Amino acid sequence: MRSRTRVPAAAARQAARPVRGLWRSALAWQVTAYMGLQSLSYYAAAAWLPTMLTDAGMSAGDAGWMLSFSSLLGIAGSFLAPVVVGRRLSAGTLATLGALLCAAAFTGVLTAPVAGAYVWMVLLGLGQGAAISLALLFIVQRAPDARHTAQLSSMAQCFGYVLAATGPAVLGAVHDASGSWTVPLTVLLALLLPQITAAWGAARHRHVAGH
Protein backbone atom coordinates (compact mmCIF):
# COMPACT_ATOMS: atom_id res chain seq x y z
CA MET A 1 0.00 0.00 0.00
CA ARG A 2 2.90 2.39 0.68
CA SER A 3 4.21 1.94 -2.86
CA ARG A 4 0.82 2.44 -4.53
CA THR A 5 0.34 5.58 -6.60
CA ARG A 6 -2.88 7.54 -7.05
CA VAL A 7 -4.90 6.83 -10.19
CA PRO A 8 -4.97 9.89 -12.46
CA ALA A 9 -8.40 11.45 -13.03
CA ALA A 10 -8.16 10.76 -16.76
CA ALA A 11 -7.59 7.06 -16.12
CA ALA A 12 -10.57 6.96 -13.77
CA ARG A 13 -12.80 8.59 -16.39
CA GLN A 14 -11.55 6.13 -19.01
CA ALA A 15 -12.35 3.17 -16.72
CA ALA A 16 -15.94 4.41 -16.37
CA ARG A 17 -16.66 4.22 -20.11
CA PRO A 18 -18.91 1.25 -21.01
CA VAL A 19 -17.27 -1.82 -22.55
CA ARG A 20 -19.27 -2.78 -25.61
CA GLY A 21 -19.57 -6.42 -26.59
CA LEU A 22 -18.68 -7.87 -23.19
CA TRP A 23 -21.92 -9.86 -23.03
CA ARG A 24 -20.97 -11.58 -26.27
CA SER A 25 -17.68 -12.84 -24.81
CA ALA A 26 -17.74 -16.56 -24.00
CA LEU A 27 -14.86 -16.05 -21.59
CA ALA A 28 -16.79 -13.37 -19.68
CA TRP A 29 -19.73 -15.76 -19.29
CA GLN A 30 -17.40 -18.52 -18.06
CA VAL A 31 -16.05 -16.17 -15.39
CA THR A 32 -19.65 -15.26 -14.52
CA ALA A 33 -20.75 -18.90 -14.39
CA TYR A 34 -17.91 -19.83 -12.05
CA MET A 35 -18.72 -16.90 -9.78
CA GLY A 36 -22.40 -17.86 -9.70
CA LEU A 37 -22.01 -21.61 -9.22
CA GLN A 38 -19.44 -21.43 -6.43
CA SER A 39 -21.55 -18.77 -4.70
CA LEU A 40 -24.69 -20.90 -5.06
CA SER A 41 -22.87 -23.81 -3.41
CA TYR A 42 -21.75 -21.57 -0.55
CA TYR A 43 -25.08 -19.88 0.15
CA ALA A 44 -27.08 -23.09 -0.15
CA ALA A 45 -24.77 -24.82 2.32
CA ALA A 46 -24.78 -21.83 4.67
CA ALA A 47 -28.58 -21.72 4.65
CA TRP A 48 -29.27 -25.41 5.22
CA LEU A 49 -26.19 -27.04 6.72
CA PRO A 50 -27.19 -26.51 10.37
CA THR A 51 -30.66 -27.91 9.61
CA MET A 52 -29.11 -30.93 7.88
CA LEU A 53 -26.99 -31.62 10.96
CA THR A 54 -29.82 -31.13 13.46
CA ASP A 55 -32.04 -33.43 11.40
CA ALA A 56 -29.25 -36.02 11.68
CA GLY A 57 -29.30 -35.78 15.47
CA MET A 58 -26.81 -33.01 16.31
CA SER A 59 -27.80 -30.33 18.81
CA ALA A 60 -28.72 -26.91 17.44
CA GLY A 61 -25.77 -25.25 19.20
CA ASP A 62 -23.25 -27.73 17.81
CA ALA A 63 -24.76 -27.46 14.33
CA GLY A 64 -24.42 -23.67 14.40
CA TRP A 65 -20.82 -23.99 15.56
CA MET A 66 -20.06 -26.33 12.67
CA LEU A 67 -21.16 -23.66 10.20
CA SER A 68 -18.99 -21.07 11.97
CA PHE A 69 -16.05 -23.48 12.03
CA SER A 70 -16.41 -24.07 8.29
CA SER A 71 -16.46 -20.31 7.69
CA LEU A 72 -13.25 -19.86 9.67
CA LEU A 73 -11.54 -22.47 7.50
CA GLY A 74 -12.96 -20.65 4.48
CA ILE A 75 -10.92 -17.58 5.41
CA ALA A 76 -7.77 -19.70 5.36
CA GLY A 77 -8.71 -21.20 1.99
CA SER A 78 -9.38 -17.79 0.47
CA PHE A 79 -5.97 -16.48 1.54
CA LEU A 80 -4.05 -19.56 0.42
CA ALA A 81 -5.52 -19.95 -3.07
CA PRO A 82 -3.98 -16.85 -4.72
CA VAL A 83 -0.60 -17.68 -3.18
CA VAL A 84 -0.64 -21.21 -4.58
CA VAL A 85 -1.84 -20.22 -8.09
CA GLY A 86 1.08 -19.73 -10.43
CA ARG A 87 3.66 -21.07 -8.00
CA ARG A 88 2.65 -24.67 -7.59
CA LEU A 89 -0.67 -25.25 -9.33
CA SER A 90 -2.59 -23.72 -12.22
CA ALA A 91 -5.84 -21.91 -11.44
CA GLY A 92 -7.88 -24.59 -13.22
CA THR A 93 -6.22 -27.37 -11.23
CA LEU A 94 -6.74 -25.56 -7.94
CA ALA A 95 -10.39 -24.86 -8.79
CA THR A 96 -10.85 -28.56 -9.50
CA LEU A 97 -9.21 -29.53 -6.21
CA GLY A 98 -11.42 -27.05 -4.37
CA ALA A 99 -14.52 -28.55 -5.98
CA LEU A 100 -13.35 -32.04 -5.06
CA LEU A 101 -12.92 -30.97 -1.43
CA CYS A 102 -16.51 -29.70 -1.49
CA ALA A 103 -17.65 -32.95 -3.13
CA ALA A 104 -16.00 -34.98 -0.37
CA ALA A 105 -17.63 -32.74 2.25
CA PHE A 106 -21.13 -33.05 0.75
CA THR A 107 -20.69 -36.80 0.43
CA GLY A 108 -19.60 -36.98 4.05
CA VAL A 109 -22.61 -34.96 5.23
CA LEU A 110 -24.77 -37.33 3.21
CA THR A 111 -23.28 -40.55 4.62
CA ALA A 112 -21.96 -39.72 8.12
CA PRO A 113 -23.12 -36.20 9.02
CA VAL A 114 -22.49 -36.30 12.77
CA ALA A 115 -19.61 -38.74 13.21
CA GLY A 116 -17.33 -36.99 10.73
CA ALA A 117 -18.70 -33.46 11.03
CA TYR A 118 -15.37 -31.77 11.82
CA VAL A 119 -13.68 -33.44 8.87
CA TRP A 120 -16.46 -32.42 6.48
CA MET A 121 -16.40 -28.82 7.73
CA VAL A 122 -12.63 -28.58 7.22
CA LEU A 123 -12.94 -29.85 3.66
CA LEU A 124 -15.94 -27.65 2.89
CA GLY A 125 -14.37 -24.52 4.35
CA LEU A 126 -11.09 -24.92 2.47
CA GLY A 127 -12.84 -25.80 -0.78
CA GLN A 128 -15.33 -22.96 -0.69
CA GLY A 129 -12.76 -20.45 0.53
CA ALA A 130 -10.48 -21.28 -2.38
CA ALA A 131 -13.41 -21.03 -4.80
CA ILE A 132 -14.47 -17.47 -3.93
CA SER A 133 -10.86 -16.32 -4.00
CA LEU A 134 -10.37 -17.84 -7.46
CA ALA A 135 -13.64 -16.33 -8.70
CA LEU A 136 -12.38 -12.85 -7.82
CA LEU A 137 -8.93 -13.64 -9.20
CA PHE A 138 -10.40 -14.67 -12.56
CA ILE A 139 -12.10 -11.27 -12.87
CA VAL A 140 -8.74 -9.51 -12.57
CA GLN A 141 -6.73 -11.96 -14.67
CA ARG A 142 -9.15 -12.13 -17.59
CA ALA A 143 -9.43 -8.34 -17.99
CA PRO A 144 -6.79 -6.43 -20.02
CA ASP A 145 -7.17 -3.13 -18.11
CA ALA A 146 -8.98 -1.40 -15.25
CA ARG A 147 -11.93 -0.51 -17.46
CA HIS A 148 -12.60 -4.12 -18.42
CA THR A 149 -11.93 -5.28 -14.85
CA ALA A 150 -14.59 -2.97 -13.39
CA GLN A 151 -17.25 -3.99 -15.88
CA LEU A 152 -16.40 -7.70 -15.91
CA SER A 153 -16.68 -7.54 -12.12
CA SER A 154 -20.12 -5.92 -12.42
CA MET A 155 -21.28 -8.57 -14.89
CA ALA A 156 -19.88 -11.55 -12.97
CA GLN A 157 -21.16 -10.44 -9.58
CA CYS A 158 -24.57 -9.22 -10.78
CA PHE A 159 -25.53 -12.32 -12.74
CA GLY A 160 -23.49 -14.61 -10.47
CA TYR A 161 -25.21 -13.56 -7.26
CA VAL A 162 -28.64 -13.60 -8.88
CA LEU A 163 -27.94 -17.25 -9.73
CA ALA A 164 -26.55 -17.88 -6.24
CA ALA A 165 -29.65 -16.37 -4.62
CA THR A 166 -31.78 -19.17 -6.07
CA GLY A 167 -29.75 -21.84 -4.31
CA PRO A 168 -31.24 -21.79 -0.78
CA ALA A 169 -34.82 -21.54 -2.07
CA VAL A 170 -34.40 -24.30 -4.66
CA LEU A 171 -32.70 -26.65 -2.17
CA GLY A 172 -35.45 -25.99 0.37
CA ALA A 173 -38.11 -26.75 -2.22
CA VAL A 174 -36.32 -29.94 -3.27
CA HIS A 175 -36.10 -31.00 0.38
CA ASP A 176 -39.82 -30.38 0.88
CA ALA A 177 -40.65 -32.36 -2.25
CA SER A 178 -38.36 -35.30 -1.49
CA GLY A 179 -38.71 -35.40 2.29
CA SER A 180 -34.97 -35.82 2.91
CA TRP A 181 -31.62 -34.14 2.36
CA THR A 182 -30.35 -36.83 0.00
CA VAL A 183 -31.64 -35.23 -3.19
CA PRO A 184 -30.59 -31.65 -2.27
CA LEU A 185 -27.05 -32.82 -1.46
CA THR A 186 -26.99 -34.80 -4.71
CA VAL A 187 -27.98 -31.61 -6.56
CA LEU A 188 -25.09 -29.74 -4.92
CA LEU A 189 -22.73 -32.54 -5.92
CA ALA A 190 -23.99 -32.47 -9.52
CA LEU A 191 -23.54 -28.69 -9.77
CA LEU A 192 -19.84 -29.09 -9.01
CA LEU A 193 -19.34 -30.54 -12.51
CA PRO A 194 -20.40 -27.39 -14.42
CA GLN A 195 -18.50 -25.37 -11.80
CA ILE A 196 -15.28 -27.22 -12.71
CA THR A 197 -16.01 -26.81 -16.42
CA ALA A 198 -16.53 -23.06 -16.02
CA ALA A 199 -13.33 -22.81 -13.96
CA TRP A 200 -11.21 -24.37 -16.70
CA GLY A 201 -12.71 -21.98 -19.21
CA ALA A 202 -12.15 -18.98 -16.96
CA ALA A 203 -8.58 -20.09 -16.19
CA ARG A 204 -7.42 -19.83 -19.81
CA HIS A 205 -4.66 -17.25 -20.32
CA ARG A 206 -6.81 -14.95 -22.44
CA HIS A 207 -8.60 -11.64 -22.05
CA VAL A 208 -12.29 -10.97 -22.46
CA ALA A 209 -13.45 -9.44 -25.73
CA GLY A 210 -15.00 -5.99 -25.78
CA HIS A 211 -14.21 -2.50 -26.89
Side-chain angles (χ1 to χ4, degrees):
M1 291 179 66
R2 286 195 300 268
S3 65
R4 188 178 64 180
T5 57
R6 293 176 62 86
V7 177
R13 287 193 296 271
Q14 174 69 13
R17 286 200 309 112
V19 175
R20 301 187 184 280
L22 191 62
W23 287 17
R24 294 192 296 272
S25 170
L27 181 57
W29 282 110
Q30 287 165 335
V31 172
T32 300
Y34 184 74
M35 169 63 79
L37 289 168
Q38 64 82 27
S39 297
L40 187 155
S41 176
Y42 172 81
Y43 287 116
W48 292 114
L49 189 60
T51 305
M52 294 179 189
L53 294 175
T54 54
D55 286 353
M58 186 178 288
S59 71
D62 287 345
W65 159 243
M66 287 299 167
L67 180 60
S68 299
F69 180 66
S70 174
S71 299
L72 290 173
L73 269 296
I75 296 173
S78 65
F79 276 108
L80 288 173
V83 176
V84 173
V85 169
R87 297 185 180 183
R88 298 183 182 276
L89 296 173
S90 68
T93 301
L94 186 58
T96 302
L97 290 176
L100 291 176
L101 290 177
C102 292
F106 292 143
T107 303
V109 173
L110 184 61
T111 56
V114 177
Y118 273 102
V119 176
W120 315 141
M121 295 308 101
V122 169
L123 298 178
L124 186 64
L126 292 176
Q128 291 185 334
I132 181 58
S133 187
L134 288 171
L136 298 173
L137 184 66
F138 287 148
I139 292 173
V140 177
Q141 289 184 331
R142 301 290 78 85
D145 52 37
R147 176 168 160 255
H148 283 76
T149 301
Q151 296 185 47
L152 178 59
S153 177
S154 297
M155 175 181 173
Q157 295 194 65
C158 176
F159 287 100
Y161 285 123
V162 167
L163 173 62
T166 66
V170 170
L171 249 68
V174 172
H175 170 263
D176 289 344
S178 64
S180 74
W181 290 110
T182 301
V183 178
L185 284 167
T186 303
V187 170
L188 288 178
L189 283 166
L191 288 175
L192 292 173
L193 293 175
Q195 179 178 317
I196 292 172
T197 302
W200 279 101
R204 291 177 297 167
H205 293 289
R206 296 172 58 189
H207 288 150
V208 296
H211 59 276

